[in-house]
Amino acid sequence: MDIEAFWDLIERSGAEHSTRQARLEWLENELSRRPLEEIVDYQLLYEAAHMRGDSWDMLGAYWLVFSSSIDGFHDGLSWLISLGREPYERVVDQPDLLTTLPQVVAAYATLGSWTDEERPEFERLSYVAWRACKKMGVRDAFADALDDRRPPVSDWLGQKWDCEDWAEAERRLPRTVAFLRAE
């Protein structure tokens, strides 16, 4: 599986299904029909996309908008991945564009009163390949293949900074801060 096929699966799951549970089931079924090697590819591509979002500025933007924990931020990256390639790559390349996504604006407008479907987090997306392998009875082989092929985990991208420092936030994320002040 290449990067195009990975994003095609993510985007098709969203286009064809309106609930997160239906998307997860569809992805699990799609992956469970594929060879183990492709499921490993999918997981490694998912992890690479996720790690691409592990930047201090992305954490800052997400934290400022949603007041999230580190775990919530990582689940938020999964949600952003679920939105598709173009919005995800645009935002991780320029975290200050987070509040230009209509889904982010909608989630911010209902801050604190989210249903599970509306919450800007999607942790279970990160487990779909594991669930497909469990269904196929090849979880151990999947884990071994991941261990053999998984690159070393990298540090967070960019320079560390304190997300609660509004002067620094305004310097790094001026659009995000302006959005929050306007609300």
Side-chain angles (χ1 to χ4, degrees):
M1 179 178 296
D2 64 11
I3 191 74
E4 302 300 328
F6 166 79
W7 283 111
D8 181 61
L9 285 174
I10 294 293
E11 291 170 356
R12 281 178 48 210
S13 74
E16 296 182 19
H17 302 281
S18 61
T19 68
R20 291 181 185 188
Q21 185 59 39
R23 287 183 77 173
L24 293 170
E25 289 170 5
W26 184 87
L27 283 165
E28 182 182 320
N29 288 332
E30 282 293 312
L31 289 173
S32 67
R33 289 195 284 264
R34 296 169 185 252
L36 179 61
E37 175 105 0
E38 282 191 43
I39 303 170
V40 172
D41 291 342
Y42 171 93
Q43 183 65 26
L44 293 172
L45 290 164
Y46 173 85
E47 290 175 9
H50 206 276
M51 282 193 302
R52 185 175 170 192
D54 272 343
S55 74
W56 290 102
D57 286 348
M58 192 68 224
L59 169 65
Y62 194 85
W63 185 87
L64 288 168
V65 175
F66 297 118
S67 300
S68 183
S69 67
I70 296 288
D71 286 342
F73 166 66
H74 282 120
D75 296 343
L77 286 177
S78 294
W79 175 68
L80 290 169
I81 288 169
S82 80
L83 300 179
R85 185 178 193 171
E86 189 281 325
Y88 183 73
E89 290 182 345
R90 181 167 31 105
V91 169
V92 298
D93 288 345
Q94 297 181 55
D96 199 26
L97 296 179
L98 181 66
T99 57
T100 66
L101 296 179
Q103 299 91 333
V104 170
V105 173
Y108 181 77
T110 59
L111 191 69
S113 63
W114 301 311
T115 66
D116 286 343
E117 286 292 318
E118 297 166 329
R119 184 174 301 283
E121 299 173 0
F122 196 0
E123 177 184 14
R124 293 186 308 155
L125 184 62
S126 60
Y127 307 128
V128 74
W130 286 95
R131 292 180 54 81
C133 288
K134 181 179 180 182
K135 181 179 189 177
M136 297 167 62
V138 295
R139 253 184 108 176
D140 290 342
F142 177 68
D144 291 343
L146 278 177
D147 287 343
D148 290 344
R149 292 184 49 203
R150 184 180 275 142
V153 175
S154 62
D155 289 334
W156 284 52
L157 303 172
Q159 182 181 5
K160 184 177 181 177
W161 62 284
D162 179 359
C163 300
E164 293 181 359
D165 180 342
W166 277 88
E168 185 66 10
E170 191 162 34
R171 187 181 75 73
R172 291 173 177 263
L173 305 164
R175 286 183 179 133
T176 304
V177 171
F179 170 84
L180 295 170
R181 286 192 172 139
E183 292 302 310

